[in-house]
Amino acid sequence: MNIVLYTVPTIEPIDLMALKGHLRIELDQTAEDETLEGWIQTAREHVETITRRQLLTATWDLSLDEFPDKDFIVLPFGNLQDVAPTQYVKYKDSDETVTTMTVNTDYIWETNGDGFGRIVLPYGDPWPSFTPWPSNPISIRFVCGWTSAALVPSKIKSAIKLICGDLYENREATLTQAQGNIMDNKTVDRLLWPCRLWGAF
């Protein structure tokens, strides 16, 4: 199995003004705006690693060596979005012939709210039988994440602000083991614990 990010989010869970308010920085002070925006992205990516979620809309490519024994394929990161033109399931045989499966005929998308989405076979139907191409013969492109910053849970936004606050206060610091890690914030851990996706991946 191989998972590759295809398109990145175009927005962040919190904006620059919200972070400045949290850090008590005057809104008209712009000298560090680029740094602050970079920290927002860094904090969001760190939170995605902890929670195993895609926070905001992004497109991913999942590659498999074979179809599973079960009648479904679990997709990572949660918040699978409705079928869109960019989503597909394809397989390549040993002759390099690529076949695109037909949604709602060969399979269906199961979004499952903010949990793991799935690709599911219609009742009684098997996966295609074919001689696979030796490298990543099955390709699944899917879109996941909350569709707007307003939908991201407040616990996650608070954790992002706290991480940015730690980076702001401890920039370029080399901490000793006794001082701990900038990213090792117990409040952040408590906020994100109920947001983490468990199992499957």
Side-chain angles (χ1 to χ4, degrees):
M1 183 176 67
N2 187 36
I3 305 174
V4 177
L5 182 62
Y6 182 72
T7 63
V8 300
T10 57
I11 57 175
E12 295 292 347
I14 64 170
D15 61 22
L16 186 60
M17 296 300 102
L19 180 57
K20 283 185 173 181
H22 174 73
L23 299 176
R24 298 184 177 89
I25 298 173
E26 295 294 333
L27 300 184
D28 59 356
Q29 293 184 11
T30 61
E32 293 193 298
D33 283 4
E34 184 175 348
T35 298
L36 296 175
E37 288 172 345
W39 286 342
I40 291 172
Q41 179 179 339
T42 297
R44 187 253 303 162
E45 291 172 348
H46 183 63
V47 167
E48 287 174 337
T49 299
I50 293 173
T51 62
R52 304 168 74 206
R53 291 185 175 278
Q54 176 62 55
L55 295 189
L56 289 158
T57 300
T59 305
W60 288 84
D61 287 339
L62 171 66
S63 300
L64 302 174
D65 292 328
E66 60 185 359
F67 286 113
D69 295 332
K70 300 178 180 179
D71 62 357
F72 61 86
I73 298 170
V74 180
L75 300 176
F77 309 134
N79 291 95
L80 181 66
Q81 296 185 18
D82 290 337
V83 175
T86 57
Q87 295 174 305
Y88 60 70
V89 179
K90 297 180 178 180
Y91 59 92
K92 182 192 289 190
D93 66 19
S94 57
D95 294 327
E96 297 189 64
T97 300
V98 176
T99 301
T100 302
M101 298 176 67
T102 304
V103 66
N104 296 328
T105 300
D106 297 326
Y107 67 94
I108 59 173
W109 295 98
E110 190 178 86
T111 55
N112 295 325
D114 62 2
F116 289 115
R118 303 196 309 176
I119 296 167
V120 183
L121 289 172
Y123 180 74
D125 286 359
W127 293 110
S129 177
F130 72 111
T131 303
W133 182 252
S135 176
N136 298 325
I138 300 167
S139 301
I140 301 169
R141 178 166 292 173
F142 62 99
V143 179
C144 61
W146 282 288
T147 56
S148 71
L151 296 176
V152 177
S154 59
K155 292 189 291 291
I156 290 177
K157 292 178 181 177
S158 295
I160 288 172
K161 290 176 183 177
L162 289 173
I163 293 168
C164 289
D166 287 342
L167 292 168
Y168 182 75
E169 291 297 328
N170 300 286
R171 64 181 71 195
E172 300 180 9
T174 301
L175 302 182
T176 67
Q177 185 173 1
Q179 290 172 308
N181 189 314
I182 289 175
M183 293 296 192
D184 185 16
N185 185 312
K186 298 302 182 185
T187 302
V188 169
D189 293 342
R190 293 186 185 100
L191 287 168
L192 296 180
W193 181 262
C195 301
R196 181 180 168 88
L197 285 171
W198 299 95
F201 292 94

